[in-house]
mmCIF file of all heavy atoms in Angstrom:
data_model
loop_
_atom_site.group_PDB
_atom_site.id
_atom_site.type_symbol
_atom_site.label_atom_id
_atom_site.label_comp_id
_atom_site.label_asym_id
_atom_site.label_seq_id
_atom_site.Cartn_x
_atom_site.Cartn_y
_atom_site.Cartn_z
ATOM 1 N N SER A 18 23.770 7.255 10.284
ATOM 2 C CA SER A 18 23.942 5.914 9.729
ATOM 3 C C SER A 18 25.323 5.312 9.967
ATOM 4 O O SER A 18 25.537 4.134 9.669
ATOM 5 C CB SER A 18 23.680 5.944 8.221
ATOM 6 O OG SER A 18 24.653 6.747 7.555
ATOM 7 N N ARG A 19 26.273 6.077 10.509
ATOM 8 C CA ARG A 19 27.656 5.609 10.533
ATOM 9 C C ARG A 19 27.868 4.354 11.366
ATOM 10 O O ARG A 19 28.805 3.594 11.124
ATOM 11 C CB ARG A 19 28.577 6.718 11.033
ATOM 12 C CG ARG A 19 28.257 7.255 12.417
ATOM 13 C CD ARG A 19 29.178 8.414 12.767
ATOM 14 N NE ARG A 19 28.798 9.062 14.012
ATOM 15 C CZ ARG A 19 29.454 10.099 14.522
ATOM 16 N NH1 ARG A 19 30.519 10.584 13.893
ATOM 17 N NH2 ARG A 19 29.049 10.658 15.641
ATOM 18 N N SER A 20 26.979 4.100 12.315
ATOM 19 C CA SER A 20 27.128 2.885 13.130
ATOM 20 C C SER A 20 26.547 1.657 12.435
ATOM 21 O O SER A 20 26.707 0.533 12.918
ATOM 22 C CB SER A 20 26.436 3.067 14.485
ATOM 23 O OG SER A 20 25.044 3.259 14.318
ATOM 24 N N CYS A 21 25.877 1.872 11.292
ATOM 25 C CA CYS A 21 25.193 0.770 10.602
ATOM 26 C C CYS A 21 25.856 0.381 9.289
ATOM 27 O O CYS A 21 25.326 -0.452 8.551
ATOM 28 C CB CYS A 21 23.730 1.147 10.324
ATOM 29 S SG CYS A 21 22.792 1.678 11.764
ATOM 30 N N THR A 22 27.001 1.002 8.962
ATOM 31 C CA THR A 22 27.603 0.749 7.659
ATOM 32 C C THR A 22 29.115 0.961 7.714
ATOM 33 O O THR A 22 29.630 1.642 8.603
ATOM 34 C CB THR A 22 26.998 1.694 6.599
ATOM 35 O OG1 THR A 22 27.629 1.465 5.337
ATOM 36 C CG2 THR A 22 27.180 3.149 6.988
ATOM 37 N N SER A 23 29.771 0.385 6.726
ATOM 38 C CA SER A 23 31.210 0.600 6.598
ATOM 39 C C SER A 23 31.533 1.757 5.659
ATOM 40 O O SER A 23 32.696 2.138 5.507
ATOM 41 C CB SER A 23 31.877 -0.682 6.072
ATOM 42 O OG SER A 23 31.388 -1.004 4.780
ATOM 43 N N LEU A 24 30.512 2.327 5.017
ATOM 44 C CA LEU A 24 30.733 3.436 4.098
ATOM 45 C C LEU A 24 31.066 4.713 4.884
ATOM 46 O O LEU A 24 30.294 5.120 5.751
ATOM 47 C CB LEU A 24 29.500 3.686 3.226
ATOM 48 C CG LEU A 24 29.097 2.592 2.231
ATOM 49 C CD1 LEU A 24 27.922 3.061 1.388
ATOM 50 C CD2 LEU A 24 30.262 2.199 1.352
ATOM 51 N N GLY A 25 32.188 5.328 4.559
ATOM 52 C CA GLY A 25 32.571 6.563 5.217
ATOM 53 C C GLY A 25 31.805 7.757 4.686
ATOM 54 O O GLY A 25 31.025 7.656 3.729
ATOM 55 N N PHE A 26 32.026 8.922 5.302
ATOM 56 C CA PHE A 26 31.290 10.124 4.914
ATOM 57 C C PHE A 26 31.539 10.498 3.459
ATOM 58 O O PHE A 26 30.604 10.828 2.723
ATOM 59 C CB PHE A 26 31.665 11.299 5.818
ATOM 60 C CG PHE A 26 31.104 12.608 5.326
ATOM 61 C CD1 PHE A 26 29.741 12.849 5.338
ATOM 62 C CD2 PHE A 26 31.944 13.604 4.810
ATOM 63 C CE1 PHE A 26 29.213 14.035 4.871
ATOM 64 C CE2 PHE A 26 31.422 14.788 4.338
ATOM 65 C CZ PHE A 26 30.054 15.009 4.371
ATOM 66 N N LEU A 27 32.762 10.470 3.004
ATOM 67 C CA LEU A 27 33.069 10.886 1.632
ATOM 68 C C LEU A 27 32.342 10.015 0.620
ATOM 69 O O LEU A 27 31.761 10.528 -0.348
ATOM 70 C CB LEU A 27 34.579 10.823 1.382
ATOM 71 C CG LEU A 27 35.038 11.283 -0.020
ATOM 72 C CD1 LEU A 27 34.605 12.717 -0.270
ATOM 73 C CD2 LEU A 27 36.550 11.133 -0.151
ATOM 74 N N LYS A 28 32.330 8.708 0.843
ATOM 75 C CA LYS A 28 31.657 7.791 -0.077
ATOM 76 C C LYS A 28 30.157 8.040 -0.074
ATOM 77 O O LYS A 28 29.515 8.094 -1.139
ATOM 78 C CB LYS A 28 31.947 6.348 0.333
ATOM 79 C CG LYS A 28 31.321 5.291 -0.565
ATOM 80 C CD LYS A 28 31.869 5.337 -1.977
ATOM 81 C CE LYS A 28 31.330 4.184 -2.812
ATOM 82 N NZ LYS A 28 31.816 4.240 -4.209
ATOM 83 N N GLN A 29 29.575 8.199 1.099
ATOM 84 C CA GLN A 29 28.139 8.460 1.174
ATOM 85 C C GLN A 29 27.794 9.797 0.521
ATOM 86 O O GLN A 29 26.793 9.912 -0.189
ATOM 87 C CB GLN A 29 27.667 8.446 2.630
ATOM 88 C CG GLN A 29 27.573 7.059 3.238
ATOM 89 C CD GLN A 29 26.745 7.051 4.514
ATOM 90 O OE1 GLN A 29 25.695 7.687 4.591
ATOM 91 N NE2 GLN A 29 27.215 6.319 5.518
ATOM 92 N N PHE A 30 28.622 10.802 0.758
ATOM 93 C CA PHE A 30 28.367 12.114 0.162
ATOM 94 C C PHE A 30 28.401 12.021 -1.365
ATOM 95 O O PHE A 30 27.540 12.599 -2.046
ATOM 96 C CB PHE A 30 29.404 13.132 0.640
ATOM 97 C CG PHE A 30 29.289 14.464 -0.035
ATOM 98 C CD1 PHE A 30 28.286 15.351 0.326
ATOM 99 C CD2 PHE A 30 30.168 14.831 -1.058
ATOM 100 C CE1 PHE A 30 28.156 16.580 -0.306
ATOM 101 C CE2 PHE A 30 30.041 16.049 -1.698
ATOM 102 C CZ PHE A 30 29.034 16.927 -1.314
ATOM 103 N N GLN A 31 29.372 11.296 -1.897
ATOM 104 C CA GLN A 31 29.459 11.136 -3.347
ATOM 105 C C GLN A 31 28.208 10.449 -3.898
ATOM 106 O O GLN A 31 27.667 10.865 -4.932
ATOM 107 C CB GLN A 31 30.701 10.319 -3.706
ATOM 108 C CG GLN A 31 32.014 11.046 -3.496
ATOM 109 C CD GLN A 31 33.219 10.144 -3.720
ATOM 110 O OE1 GLN A 31 33.149 8.925 -3.573
ATOM 111 N NE2 GLN A 31 34.349 10.756 -4.091
ATOM 112 N N GLU A 32 27.754 9.433 -3.212
ATOM 113 C CA GLU A 32 26.560 8.722 -3.677
ATOM 114 C C GLU A 32 25.323 9.606 -3.593
ATOM 115 O O GLU A 32 24.512 9.649 -4.522
ATOM 116 C CB GLU A 32 26.355 7.448 -2.852
ATOM 117 C CG GLU A 32 27.393 6.373 -3.136
ATOM 118 C CD GLU A 32 27.068 5.045 -2.494
ATOM 119 O OE1 GLU A 32 26.159 5.002 -1.629
ATOM 120 O OE2 GLU A 32 27.698 4.045 -2.863
ATOM 121 N N MET A 33 25.168 10.323 -2.484
ATOM 122 C CA MET A 33 24.021 11.225 -2.344
ATOM 123 C C MET A 33 24.016 12.288 -3.444
ATOM 124 O O MET A 33 22.967 12.585 -4.027
ATOM 125 C CB MET A 33 24.046 11.911 -0.976
ATOM 126 C CG MET A 33 23.712 11.022 0.201
ATOM 127 S SD MET A 33 23.679 11.983 1.743
ATOM 128 C CE MET A 33 24.441 10.833 2.875
ATOM 129 N N TYR A 34 25.179 12.817 -3.728
ATOM 130 C CA TYR A 34 25.280 13.875 -4.741
ATOM 131 C C TYR A 34 24.928 13.335 -6.129
ATOM 132 O O TYR A 34 24.169 13.953 -6.883
ATOM 133 C CB TYR A 34 26.683 14.465 -4.751
ATOM 134 C CG TYR A 34 26.849 15.623 -5.714
ATOM 135 C CD1 TYR A 34 26.312 16.872 -5.416
ATOM 136 C CD2 TYR A 34 27.526 15.446 -6.921
ATOM 137 C CE1 TYR A 34 26.455 17.932 -6.298
ATOM 138 C CE2 TYR A 34 27.663 16.498 -7.813
ATOM 139 C CZ TYR A 34 27.123 17.741 -7.491
ATOM 140 O OH TYR A 34 27.263 18.781 -8.383
ATOM 141 N N LYS A 35 25.449 12.163 -6.465
ATOM 142 C CA LYS A 35 25.182 11.570 -7.779
ATOM 143 C C LYS A 35 23.700 11.211 -7.928
ATOM 144 O O LYS A 35 23.102 11.416 -8.985
ATOM 145 C CB LYS A 35 26.043 10.324 -7.978
ATOM 146 C CG LYS A 35 27.518 10.608 -8.184
ATOM 147 C CD LYS A 35 28.301 9.302 -8.339
ATOM 148 C CE LYS A 35 29.788 9.560 -8.522
ATOM 149 N NZ LYS A 35 30.545 8.274 -8.637
ATOM 150 N N LEU A 36 23.094 10.689 -6.856
ATOM 151 C CA LEU A 36 21.689 10.318 -6.914
ATOM 152 C C LEU A 36 20.787 11.552 -6.973
ATOM 153 O O LEU A 36 19.718 11.526 -7.578
ATOM 154 C CB LEU A 36 21.315 9.452 -5.714
ATOM 155 C CG LEU A 36 21.916 8.040 -5.721
ATOM 156 C CD1 LEU A 36 21.639 7.319 -4.411
ATOM 157 C CD2 LEU A 36 21.372 7.220 -6.888
ATOM 158 N N ARG A 37 21.243 12.638 -6.361
ATOM 159 C CA ARG A 37 20.501 13.901 -6.467
ATOM 160 C C ARG A 37 20.516 14.407 -7.905
ATOM 161 O O ARG A 37 19.493 14.875 -8.421
ATOM 162 C CB ARG A 37 21.118 14.937 -5.524
ATOM 163 C CG ARG A 37 20.448 16.322 -5.567
ATOM 164 C CD ARG A 37 19.020 16.261 -5.060
ATOM 165 N NE ARG A 37 18.394 17.558 -4.980
ATOM 166 C CZ ARG A 37 17.906 18.240 -6.028
ATOM 167 N NH1 ARG A 37 17.988 17.723 -7.233
ATOM 168 N NH2 ARG A 37 17.336 19.428 -5.851
ATOM 169 N N ARG A 38 21.651 14.277 -8.563
ATOM 170 C CA ARG A 38 21.766 14.708 -9.955
ATOM 171 C C ARG A 38 20.983 13.790 -10.900
ATOM 172 O O ARG A 38 20.357 14.263 -11.851
ATOM 173 C CB ARG A 38 23.241 14.724 -10.386
ATOM 174 C CG ARG A 38 24.113 15.749 -9.667
ATOM 175 C CD ARG A 38 23.798 17.162 -10.125
ATOM 176 N NE ARG A 38 24.025 17.343 -11.562
ATOM 177 C CZ ARG A 38 25.189 17.685 -12.112
ATOM 178 N NH1 ARG A 38 26.251 17.872 -11.333
ATOM 179 N NH2 ARG A 38 25.305 17.844 -13.417
ATOM 180 N N LEU A 39 21.002 12.506 -10.608
ATOM 181 C CA LEU A 39 20.377 11.536 -11.507
ATOM 182 C C LEU A 39 18.867 11.441 -11.335
ATOM 183 O O LEU A 39 18.104 11.512 -12.301
ATOM 184 C CB LEU A 39 20.993 10.151 -11.271
ATOM 185 C CG LEU A 39 20.418 8.993 -12.103
ATOM 186 C CD1 LEU A 39 20.701 9.219 -13.590
ATOM 187 C CD2 LEU A 39 20.977 7.656 -11.626
ATOM 188 N N ASN A 40 18.421 11.300 -10.078
ATOM 189 C CA ASN A 40 17.004 11.023 -9.800
ATOM 190 C C ASN A 40 16.323 12.052 -8.909
ATOM 191 O O ASN A 40 15.181 11.857 -8.519
ATOM 192 C CB ASN A 40 16.859 9.647 -9.134
ATOM 193 C CG ASN A 40 17.197 8.505 -10.059
ATOM 194 O OD1 ASN A 40 17.142 8.645 -11.281
ATOM 195 N ND2 ASN A 40 17.565 7.370 -9.499
ATOM 196 N N TYR A 41 17.035 13.139 -8.577
ATOM 197 C CA TYR A 41 16.505 14.128 -7.635
ATOM 198 C C TYR A 41 16.190 13.483 -6.281
ATOM 199 O O TYR A 41 15.262 13.885 -5.576
ATOM 200 C CB TYR A 41 15.277 14.837 -8.213
ATOM 201 C CG TYR A 41 15.659 15.968 -9.138
ATOM 202 C CD1 TYR A 41 16.154 15.700 -10.407
ATOM 203 C CD2 TYR A 41 15.560 17.297 -8.744
ATOM 204 C CE1 TYR A 41 16.527 16.725 -11.266
ATOM 205 C CE2 TYR A 41 15.933 18.328 -9.590
ATOM 206 C CZ TYR A 41 16.420 18.043 -10.847
ATOM 207 O OH TYR A 41 16.799 19.055 -11.685
ATOM 208 N N LEU A 42 16.962 12.467 -5.928
ATOM 209 C CA LEU A 42 16.801 11.800 -4.648
ATOM 210 C C LEU A 42 17.499 12.624 -3.572
ATOM 211 O O LEU A 42 18.693 12.907 -3.663
ATOM 212 C CB LEU A 42 17.426 10.397 -4.709
ATOM 213 C CG LEU A 42 17.045 9.443 -3.583
ATOM 214 C CD1 LEU A 42 15.779 8.667 -3.975
ATOM 215 C CD2 LEU A 42 18.165 8.451 -3.307
ATOM 216 N N GLU A 43 16.756 13.023 -2.553
ATOM 217 C CA GLU A 43 17.294 13.866 -1.499
ATOM 218 C C GLU A 43 18.074 13.027 -0.465
ATOM 219 O O GLU A 43 17.823 11.812 -0.330
ATOM 220 C CB GLU A 43 16.161 14.607 -0.787
ATOM 221 C CG GLU A 43 15.416 15.592 -1.676
ATOM 222 C CD GLU A 43 16.289 16.774 -2.094
ATOM 223 O OE1 GLU A 43 17.304 17.033 -1.427
ATOM 224 O OE2 GLU A 43 15.941 17.436 -3.094
ATOM 225 N N PRO A 44 18.987 13.644 0.286
ATOM 226 C CA PRO A 44 19.718 12.906 1.324
ATOM 227 C C PRO A 44 18.796 12.190 2.312
ATOM 228 O O PRO A 44 19.096 11.080 2.771
ATOM 229 C CB PRO A 44 20.540 14.007 2.010
ATOM 230 C CG PRO A 44 20.781 15.006 0.932
ATOM 231 C CD PRO A 44 19.514 15.017 0.123
ATOM 232 N N GLU A 45 17.662 12.826 2.637
ATOM 233 C CA GLU A 45 16.717 12.186 3.561
ATOM 234 C C GLU A 45 16.175 10.885 2.967
ATOM 235 O O GLU A 45 15.926 9.914 3.693
ATOM 236 C CB GLU A 45 15.561 13.139 3.873
ATOM 237 C CG GLU A 45 15.949 14.352 4.685
ATOM 238 C CD GLU A 45 16.503 15.501 3.828
ATOM 239 O OE1 GLU A 45 16.630 15.329 2.584
ATOM 240 O OE2 GLU A 45 16.792 16.569 4.394
ATOM 241 N N GLU A 46 15.980 10.860 1.651
ATOM 242 C CA GLU A 46 15.502 9.643 1.001
ATOM 243 C C GLU A 46 16.604 8.583 0.950
ATOM 244 O O GLU A 46 16.333 7.391 1.072
ATOM 245 C CB GLU A 46 15.008 9.961 -0.412
ATOM 246 C CG GLU A 46 13.763 10.835 -0.436
ATOM 247 C CD GLU A 46 13.363 11.230 -1.846
ATOM 248 O OE1 GLU A 46 13.973 12.163 -2.410
ATOM 249 O OE2 GLU A 46 12.445 10.584 -2.390
ATOM 250 N N TYR A 47 17.826 9.015 0.751
ATOM 251 C CA TYR A 47 18.980 8.108 0.795
ATOM 252 C C TYR A 47 18.994 7.371 2.134
ATOM 253 O O TYR A 47 19.215 6.162 2.197
ATOM 254 C CB TYR A 47 20.258 8.925 0.612
ATOM 255 C CG TYR A 47 21.554 8.133 0.614
ATOM 256 C CD1 TYR A 47 22.077 7.618 -0.572
ATOM 257 C CD2 TYR A 47 22.268 7.932 1.795
ATOM 258 C CE1 TYR A 47 23.278 6.902 -0.568
ATOM 259 C CE2 TYR A 47 23.468 7.224 1.805
ATOM 260 C CZ TYR A 47 23.965 6.717 0.615
ATOM 261 O OH TYR A 47 25.153 6.012 0.616
ATOM 262 N N HIS A 48 18.701 8.098 3.198
ATOM 263 C CA HIS A 48 18.653 7.497 4.531
ATOM 264 C C HIS A 48 17.394 6.663 4.702
ATOM 265 O O HIS A 48 17.444 5.552 5.265
ATOM 266 C CB HIS A 48 18.697 8.597 5.587
ATOM 267 C CG HIS A 48 18.732 8.073 6.994
ATOM 268 N ND1 HIS A 48 17.610 8.017 7.787
ATOM 269 C CD2 HIS A 48 19.755 7.569 7.734
ATOM 270 C CE1 HIS A 48 17.936 7.516 8.965
ATOM 271 N NE2 HIS A 48 19.213 7.231 8.958
#
Side-chain angles (χ1 to χ4, degrees):
S18 65
R19 58 184 173 180
S20 63
C21 306
T22 178
S23 62
L24 294 184
F26 171 68
L27 182 59
K28 181 64 174 178
Q29 285 196 42
F30 174 76
Q31 289 174 334
E32 290 189 348
M33 288 183 219
Y34 183 74
K35 289 179 181 179
L36 290 173
R37 179 65 175 78
R38 294 288 300 273
L39 178 64
N40 292 337
Y41 278 74
L42 195 89
E43 295 293 340
E45 292 84 357
E46 293 175 280
Y47 181 90
H48 183 260

